Amino acid sequence: MRKVLSSIIGGIPGAVIVGTAYDGRDGLSKIRSLRPDIVTLDIEMPHLDGMGVLQELRLLPVAERPAVLICSTLTSAGSHAALKALRLGASDVILKDPHSLGAGGDAAKVDLTGKIKALYESKHRCPATSAPRASVATPGSHASPPRTIDLSGKAIEVILIGSSTGGPPVLEQILMALPADLPMPVVVAQHMPRMFTKSISERLDEECALSVVHAEHEMPLLPGSVYITPGGLHSRIKPNAKGRATLIVAEDPKGALYKPSVDELLASGAALGPRALGIVLTGMGADGAIGAKAMHASKGIVIAQDAESCVVYGMPRAVVEAGAASAQLTPPQICAAVRQLAPFGQGRPSSQSAA
């Protein structure tokens, strides 16, 4: 796997491999001396495993921490371990499959290259030592969105969340802060393979006051429940005349770049107009911008995660630059805003995140 990764990364224009390591301790030593921008890290290693390395990296000054791509197997155990690694600070996941990354695995190579480029650009665009910056919209287009929002008294019927690179820990933070008596359902589109989205739903169901399920086609959308879209599929909400919505889970559009597609999910929320709330979290690319524009046009509310708290400020930035963001908030602010929709509920503190 190390040779395959080295071959792919070495072929990325501008990328330089400054070192390789044979175990966790050697890797940690080289990280401290070579100061790389990005590290690919296996979970299973002798002497000091990937979790141990991540815990040690958390002791470094923020400016000296590299972005970490964790290598994981596409199994239940591997996906749960990868999610723990993300909670410990890893930025994203690489599937530990030399065959898909080797000959003929063009999609996997493109995905890895995209992640490395996005993490590098994010690290150097927003250095940890810089002061917080105001959001900047595209010149001549739209003003920067507000840094606060008041949702109290809003008649929201559904919350739609889109998330990608760096998203699972933020998603967990938000959902764990919400009370069991949340008066509307939450539907999530997280860019991950199906095994990982299943593991996310299992963990969140154990940790959250809300009921969390791995979504299935035509499930009724119930208050106080969270529906995680399976990887490889898309989800859309389908309102009905009785005021209750159902969830459509399907393969179409099969040619979508991201599966699940945040655009598909948010666009379906436009049918509810001001009764839908969309939230776009950290992630590379622009998935969610088209759907957010549809929601915005129908007077729906869309919150984008702020640049400073994003692992990759791609998806939220696209929403902001499209003029579709009602507000741009930090994860704790998002937690507080959504909790306004259930003022008498008792969720967990927004800062809590179990390891």
Side-chain angles (χ1 to χ4, degrees):
M1 185 69 177
R2 189 192 313 168
K3 291 181 179 180
V4 173
L5 289 174
S6 296
S7 175
I8 295 173
I9 295 170
I12 299 174
V16 177
I17 299 174
V18 296
T20 59
Y22 54 84
D23 63 25
R25 288 179 183 170
D26 182 42
L28 192 60
S29 175
K30 288 181 177 176
I31 288 170
R32 288 168 171 158
S33 62
L34 298 174
R35 302 282 293 274
D37 294 303
I38 301 169
V39 171
T40 59
L41 183 66
D42 204 339
I43 293 176
E44 299 176 0
M45 295 184 293
H47 306 303
L48 183 67
D49 65 11
M51 301 301 180
V53 172
L54 287 169
Q55 289 172 333
E56 290 292 327
L57 291 179
R58 296 178 77 173
L59 301 177
L60 294 176
V62 174
E64 297 179 16
R65 299 176 195 170
V68 176
L69 289 170
I70 199 77
C71 300
S72 171
T73 56
L74 192 58
T75 64
S76 178
S79 60
H80 278 285
L83 292 174
K84 181 178 180 180
L86 292 173
R87 295 194 298 275
L88 288 174
S91 300
D92 209 339
V93 179
I94 304 171
L95 292 183
K96 194 175 179 180
D97 184 356
H99 298 293
S100 68
L101 288 170
D106 291 339
K109 292 177 184 178
V110 169
D111 181 62
L112 174 58
T113 300
K115 288 178 179 179
I116 289 175
K117 287 183 176 179
L119 290 172
Y120 177 81
E121 291 170 1
S122 180
K123 184 176 178 66
H124 288 273
R125 181 177 59 244
C126 302
T129 55
S130 67
R133 303 171 297 120
S135 298
V136 180
T138 302
S141 58
H142 303 274
S144 299
R147 290 299 184 124
T148 61
I149 192 168
D150 184 3
L151 296 181
S152 57
K154 300 291 185 182
I156 301 297
E157 293 183 7
V158 66
I159 300 172
L160 309 174
I161 303 178
S163 176
S164 187
T165 306
V170 182
L171 184 63
E172 182 173 303
Q173 181 181 0
I174 293 170
L175 295 179
M176 286 181 63
L178 301 181
D181 61 351
L182 190 73
M184 71 283 296
V186 180
V187 184
V188 177
Q190 167 69 50
H191 293 168
M192 275 189 156
R194 187 176 305 199
M195 183 62 71
F196 286 78
T197 55
K198 186 174 188 299
S199 295
I200 288 174
S201 64
E202 291 171 348
R203 172 176 166 79
L204 290 175
D205 190 49
E206 292 175 355
E207 300 293 335
C208 295
L210 300 165
S211 171
V212 184
V213 299
H214 205 213
E216 296 179 7
H217 184 54
E218 294 189 337
M219 275 186 162
L221 294 176
L222 304 176
S225 296
V226 180
Y227 303 82
I228 308 292
T229 307
L233 300 175
H234 305 293
S235 61
R236 305 173 192 82
I237 60 169
K238 182 181 178 182
N240 60 37
K242 297 180 180 179
R244 290 292 186 194
T246 56
L247 190 64
I248 303 301
V249 179
E251 292 184 359
D252 292 328
K254 295 181 180 179
L257 180 60
Y258 301 104
K259 302 175 184 178
S261 164
V262 180
D263 277 329
E264 289 292 321
L265 177 60
L266 297 187
S268 71
L272 292 176
R275 295 170 292 156
L277 169 64
I279 301 173
V280 180
L281 302 178
T282 172
M284 67 183 204
D287 189 23
I290 295 174
K293 285 186 69 174
M295 287 189 64
H296 180 73
S298 66
K299 302 189 183 305
I301 300 170
V302 180
I303 296 173
Q305 185 176 343
D306 78 314
E308 291 76 24
S309 66
C310 283
V311 170
V312 175
Y313 185 54
M315 286 165 44
R317 178 176 182 172
V319 171
V320 170
E321 293 184 346
S326 307
Q328 192 167 24
L329 308 178
T330 66
Q333 287 176 319
I334 296 173
C335 294
V338 178
R339 282 181 60 83
Q340 291 175 343
L341 300 173
F344 303 107
Q346 296 296 318
R348 302 182 183 215
S350 63
S351 61
Q352 181 172 344
S353 181

